[in-house]
Amino acid sequence: MHYISTRNKNKLYSLTEALQKGLAEDGGLFIPEYFPKVNLTDYNMQMSYIDFAERLLQNFFKEDILDKNLREICENAFIFPVKIETIDSNTLMLDLCKGPTLSFKDFGARFLAECLNKISHKNKSTIMVATSGDTGSAVASAFYNKENTRVIVLYPKGKISEKQEKQITCWGQNILSLAVHGTFDDCQRLVKQAFNENWWQDVMNMSSANSINIGRLLPQMIYYAYTSFVFFNKNKTSPGYIIPTGNLGNATAAYWAKEMGFPIREISLATNENRVINDYLESGVFSPRKSVLTLANAMDVGNPSNFERLSQLFHDHSIFDKNVTSISVTNAEIRQTIAYFYNKYKKIICPHTATGFFVRKSKCTESWIVVSTADPCKFDDIIEPIIQENIAIPEQMQTLLMRETMYWDVKAELSDIEKIAKKYFKI
Ligand SMILES: *Cc1c(COP(=O)(O)O)cnc(C)c1O
């Protein structure tokens, strides 16, 4: 299996190259050269999640030097369960928040960390990651104490929850956490800028762990493939998925699983008040813009990077429009949905997951699986006033809350970041 850039299908890369580079030289994102069609008889209900992951990913590891390590990578990465909960007769919730930092980002971050750790480095590499809240902590946790890698996490100061910030800033050692005076889009811009600068490339040996890295998306296909397969075998019909989305990473992974032929009926997206994808569906014009702050902050993205991958899969607007539906959910609707859900089911959902359940209400009676993207305890400051109840703190969070906090404030300028990085990493 080879990988190509979304901007040039003639130059072929190995998986290892794509993982190491993060972004292609032409600025495009890596995608598999093609999606192998699944043969469902290769899978069975006795398989564990790790068995399933290994079987699926073999397609994408073929002929790469990492192929021989695939089993071990899966075993080390997927150390926490994927849970499906029944909400009502035709609604299920796919709970992806049982990992060490309590969001679905743990799947991609841990898998990528295991892959990069297996690729032998002559030089230490640096991962610079922009986070709208949950990527930073997942990446920091996954790479913490991995000696060959330095991690720099950029997060928008004052625009993430207190618990999210704690999860990003509680590491130290090989993890440098920077509070950027700016927005998530500024953080993303700084990462892209660093990729184009000699000092960062040559001295720091940049690699990328944002959701643009193919090593983040491949493992995210598995939970869609796995749960649709289990659902199909039990119910003899294919489920639809409702996915809360921002940078379109998790959604792209779901479309890839569907493209391979896993039994997914349809996919529907839930966005917050950042409407760039909704406007594209309506008008056919993709116009990135500044993000606006919402209660679902990890989805506050004004220029979703993975649009480039998705529009490569669905070549033009009419095909895109046939395959993708999306509803934009307001802050008021998020609040209402959290309250409704708590009153009706006695379950607490996070603001991102609430966008998904809001969308569920407008759908038909066919079966839908709504993706739960983060544990509600990360957003206790938003949720507790709505439900008038304290949220339980899972063990993973309690452990991190006890650690010391360490971060630096920086301007949204690369020179400022360079200064601090030199000092922190003693370069
Ligand atoms: C990152 C994130 C999202 C959005 O996922 P994308 O892959 O960026 O679309 C949704 N919810 C939570 C909690 C997240 O952390």
Side-chain angles (χ1 to χ4, degrees):
M1 169 67 76
H2 289 111
Y3 292 80
I4 53 173
S5 160
T6 44
R7 299 183 190 176
N8 174 9
K9 56 178 185 302
N10 296 318
K11 187 163 165 45
L12 304 180
Y13 298 83
S14 70
L15 174 65
T16 295
E17 279 175 310
L19 290 170
Q20 277 182 312
K21 284 181 191 294
L23 199 65
E25 293 92 349
D26 58 12
L29 309 187
F30 289 112
I31 51 175
E33 197 183 2
Y34 66 99
F35 289 95
K37 289 290 172 226
V38 64
N39 182 353
L40 288 179
T41 56
D42 287 347
Y43 298 82
N44 65 62
M45 294 288 277
Q46 277 69 52
M47 292 170 107
S48 69
Y49 190 80
I50 288 169
D51 295 338
F52 200 96
E54 185 189 13
R55 182 70 49 89
L56 196 168
L57 291 171
Q58 271 165 358
N59 294 291
F60 298 93
F61 276 60
K62 240 185 229 150
E63 291 148 39
D64 193 78
I65 46 167
L66 281 179
D67 191 31
K68 61 182 184 309
N69 305 112
L70 178 58
R71 176 83 196 177
E72 190 191 344
I73 290 169
C74 292
E75 281 171 352
N76 292 341
F78 308 130
I79 52 169
F80 48 90
V82 171
K83 272 181 49 188
I84 283 263
E85 261 182 72
T86 301
I87 304 297
D88 62 33
S89 60
N90 50 21
T91 309
L92 299 144
M93 179 165 87
L94 171 57
D95 182 351
L96 301 176
C97 322
K98 297 290 178 247
T101 66
L102 302 171
S103 85
F104 78 84
K105 302 291 201 304
D106 285 321
F107 287 91
R110 293 187 62 83
F111 187 81
L112 177 61
E114 290 304 323
C115 289
L116 293 182
N117 199 43
K118 285 276 175 251
I119 300 171
S120 61
H121 299 281
K122 279 191 229 79
N123 301 318
K124 260 192 196 188
S125 64
T126 301
I127 283 173
M128 191 189 275
V129 58
T131 183
S132 56
D134 296 318
T135 295
S137 52
V139 169
S141 159
F143 283 92
Y144 180 59
N145 279 340
K146 293 237 188 293
E147 289 186 350
N148 262 326
T149 314
R150 309 179 193 96
V151 175
I152 303 176
V153 182
L154 308 182
Y155 67 95
K157 187 178 173 71
K159 297 185 176 67
I160 65 176
S161 82
E162 204 180 300
K163 294 236 167 36
Q164 283 177 313
E165 182 171 28
K166 180 75 201 186
Q167 287 184 305
I168 292 171
T169 56
C170 68
W171 303 99
Q173 309 276 21
N174 61 328
I175 315 288
L176 170 60
S177 309
L178 301 176
V180 175
H181 290 247
T183 61
F184 169 65
D185 296 316
D186 289 318
C187 298
Q188 256 194 339
R189 173 178 54 78
L190 288 162
V191 173
K192 284 199 181 139
Q193 209 179 321
F195 261 97
N196 290 321
E197 286 206 4
N198 291 343
W199 184 79
W200 287 97
Q201 276 300 2
D202 302 343
V203 180
M204 296 300 275
N205 193 15
M206 290 282 287
S207 175
S208 161
N210 273 14
S211 53
I212 56 174
N213 195 305
I214 186 81
R216 293 268 307 271
L217 286 204
L218 295 175
Q220 290 181 204
M221 296 168 65
I222 299 160
Y223 41 75
Y224 295 110
Y226 177 75
T227 55
S228 67
F229 180 81
V230 170
F231 186 96
F232 184 78
N233 274 284
K234 284 191 182 151
N235 302 288
K236 306 298 165 216
T237 63
S238 307
Y241 285 82
I242 297 173
I243 306 174
T245 194
N247 215 14
L248 290 173
N250 207 9
T252 298
Y255 281 105
W256 285 359
K258 185 171 189 296
E259 181 70 16
M260 287 183 75
F262 283 99
I264 296 172
R265 186 187 71 241
E266 59 186 303
I267 294 166
S268 186
L269 309 182
T271 59
N272 58 24
E273 288 170 9
N274 290 280
R275 298 187 41 95
V276 59
I277 201 73
N278 310 81
D279 291 348
Y280 170 71
L281 289 170
E282 275 165 33
S283 70
V285 181
F286 182 68
S287 59
R289 63 203 72 167
K290 266 194 139 93
S291 56
V292 296
L293 297 188
T294 75
L295 296 175
N297 65 8
M299 293 154 53
D300 291 348
V301 182
N303 185 8
S305 326
N306 286 294
F307 180 77
E308 196 164 324
R309 283 190 171 117
L310 213 48
S311 46
Q312 199 281 336
L313 189 63
F314 305 129
H315 304 284
D316 63 35
H317 178 254
S318 65
I319 302 175
F320 202 111
D321 202 42
K322 249 187 230 127
N323 287 280
V324 183
T325 58
S326 178
I327 294 178
S328 160
V329 182
T330 66
N331 281 336
E333 289 163 342
I334 289 174
R335 284 206 181 84
Q336 281 163 20
T337 307
I338 291 171
Y340 171 85
F341 212 77
Y342 181 67
N343 293 330
K344 179 142 189 204
Y345 303 110
K346 287 282 161 274
K347 284 186 197 295
I348 305 174
I349 48 175
C350 89
H352 311 80
T353 307
T355 66
F357 278 101
F358 181 83
V359 169
R360 172 68 189 98
K361 280 195 286 188
S362 69
K363 295 285 181 196
C364 58
T365 54
E366 286 175 291
S367 295
W368 287 95
I369 300 178
V370 180
V371 177
S372 169
T373 52
D375 188 282
C377 84
K378 295 178 93 156
F379 307 94
D380 52 356
D381 47 345
I382 295 170
I383 300 169
E384 286 180 354
I386 299 173
I387 61 169
Q388 302 283 318
E389 197 64 59
N390 288 334
I391 298 177
I393 308 276
E395 203 183 307
Q396 298 96 311
M397 179 65 89
Q398 287 177 21
T399 316
L400 298 188
L401 287 175
M402 283 184 309
R403 300 174 66 101
E404 219 177 297
T405 297
M406 188 165 42
Y407 69 93
W408 278 264
D409 281 277
V410 290
K411 293 197 238 58
E413 286 167 20
L414 199 56
S415 55
D416 223 25
I417 296 172
E418 183 178 326
K419 233 183 290 170
I420 292 172
K422 277 180 176 155
K423 208 185 290 173
Y424 186 80
F425 294 116
K426 303 192 173 69
I427 288 164

